[in-house]
Amino acid sequence: MAWRSAVSIDPVASDDRRTDFADTITMIDPGAPAVLIGDLSAQRGDGIFESLGVVDGHVQEVGPHLARLAHSAGLCDLPAPNLAQWRAAIERIAVEAGPGENVIKLILSRGLDQGPAPTAWVTLATAPDSARARRDGVRVVTLDRGYTLDVPARAPWLLLGAKTLSYATNMAAIREAHRRGADDAVFATSDGFVLEAPTASVVLRVGDRFVTPAPQAGILHGTTQLSLFAHLETRGFDTAYENVPIADLETADAAWLLSSVRLAAPIASVDGRDKSIDRALTAEINAYLLAPRD
Ligand code: PLP
């Protein structure tokens, strides 16, 4: 990741009505040390984050990302973020973006072990090149997530719908996919339903209908999937949240991994079996996702 810029935030209360946050947002050197060793983000992965796409200086879907940050904070018993302050920090760093694709990351940590306040910062980095994944697709393997579809309701302390900093298992799943000769993974429940990829949502097309697993299944509600469904609905397609059996990944007419930075990567094979890519529709979807979206 080529880090380009960073700001630290001194988080204020969510009900703080000030309109100027300048003295709570500090530019910091993205190459210099910034987090204390006692910070619980580093000690325990105890915090939450968001990754936002930036295309030619326009930050995509700021509102939905901030809404999900607040949702994750609630699930994790973190103080509610002041969304106007986070928006100000995003605006501050976005001016550094310039042309091309970049990624802004928002991080809210529980803070220092003994300290009363959370710590927070925002970074800007050059986005990895996703042209090939968008055009030629990704080979996926299905990996057992180790729990059944009803676990989120039975064990909310697993924080399954929160975008926490604890991504070690997600990264391990991608390494396992690479070991199996694939590019990426799709998590499935142990009772046979599709969940999500380690860093993306899964969307299937069956005829004129687009389907994605319901977020109540303990997955992140993807901002890219939400935005795409709204777009598809204006074009007259049906969209639905459903329990998706693993077999549907192979039988669907087309399938994609969707996320804020890589955008729509068509699934080119599932567990070693090739799947046809709908190149025209994928190109159209990515053109929509690359256009300015709020
Ligand atoms: N699911 C997981 C586990 C993710 O990490 C991500 C994005 O990083 C997504 C889904 C897709 O979310 P979004 O479209 O908001 O980037």
Side-chain angles (χ1 to χ4, degrees):
M1 191 76 86
W3 303 105
R4 299 188 48 196
S5 206
V7 297
S8 72
I9 302 178
D10 190 5
V12 300
S14 61
D15 59 357
D16 188 319
R17 294 277 162 258
R18 78 181 86 179
T19 51
D20 184 355
F21 293 94
D23 63 344
T24 68
I25 298 167
T26 311
M27 289 300 293
I28 53 174
D29 177 352
V35 178
L36 293 171
I37 55 168
D39 196 280
L40 290 170
S41 60
Q43 293 290 339
R44 295 193 170 147
D46 193 353
I48 55 174
F49 78 104
E50 284 293 321
S51 294
L52 294 74
V54 188
V55 183
D56 295 333
H58 182 88
V59 190
Q60 305 282 45
E61 304 279 347
V62 174
H65 279 286
L66 288 178
R68 193 170 61 189
L69 186 78
H71 178 67
S72 297
L75 291 175
C76 295
D77 302 317
L78 284 163
N82 183 307
L83 299 189
Q85 184 185 32
W86 283 89
R87 200 175 271 277
I90 293 168
E91 280 165 12
R92 174 67 193 85
I93 207 163
V95 295
E96 321 278 329
E101 289 183 52
N102 288 279
V103 50
I104 284 179
K105 226 170 149 177
L106 319 178
I107 296 179
L108 174 60
S109 159
R110 199 172 301 279
L112 287 175
D113 214 352
Q114 68 280 34
T119 45
W121 60 99
V122 177
T123 59
L124 173 76
T126 309
D129 186 358
S130 300
R132 199 163 140 200
R134 289 176 195 161
R135 189 190 57 231
D136 300 334
V138 285
R139 297 160 299 170
V140 303
V141 288
T142 52
L143 296 182
D144 187 353
R145 194 82 161 104
Y147 50 73
T148 49
L149 204 55
D150 64 344
V151 155
R154 276 196 291 121
W157 45 88
L158 294 180
L159 303 178
L160 292 173
K163 196 165 168 71
T164 76
L165 289 170
S166 312
Y167 260 46
T169 50
N170 301 45
M171 298 300 107
I174 293 176
R175 289 195 300 276
E176 178 62 22
H178 292 170
R179 274 194 288 273
R180 297 186 189 193
D183 306 302
D184 212 330
V186 169
F187 285 129
T189 61
S190 39
D191 47 353
F193 294 97
V194 174
L195 288 169
E196 61 187 343
T199 63
S201 311
V202 178
V203 168
L204 277 57
R205 179 176 73 77
V206 180
D208 280 348
R209 196 154 181 272
F210 289 78
V211 176
T212 195
Q216 299 88 304
I219 59 177
L220 285 192
H221 198 171
T223 60
T224 319
Q225 171 268 309
L226 262 175
S227 171
L228 178 65
F229 271 24
H231 172 68
L232 292 169
E233 283 155 21
T234 64
R235 295 199 43 212
F237 290 108
D238 277 348
T239 62
Y241 293 92
E242 285 176 358
N243 293 338
V244 178
I246 300 176
D248 289 10
L249 262 186
E250 274 186 68
T251 57
D253 295 317
W256 295 267
L257 299 187
L258 284 182
S259 53
S260 295
V261 179
R262 189 171 57 184
L263 304 179
I267 295 182
S269 79
V270 179
D271 294 328
R273 287 178 290 279
D274 286 346
K275 186 164 186 63
S276 66
I277 293 178
D278 189 336
R279 288 184 186 273
L281 181 57
T282 302
E284 193 193 318
I285 289 173
N286 278 318
Y288 163 72
L289 294 173
L290 282 164
R293 290 178 289 125
D294 290 315

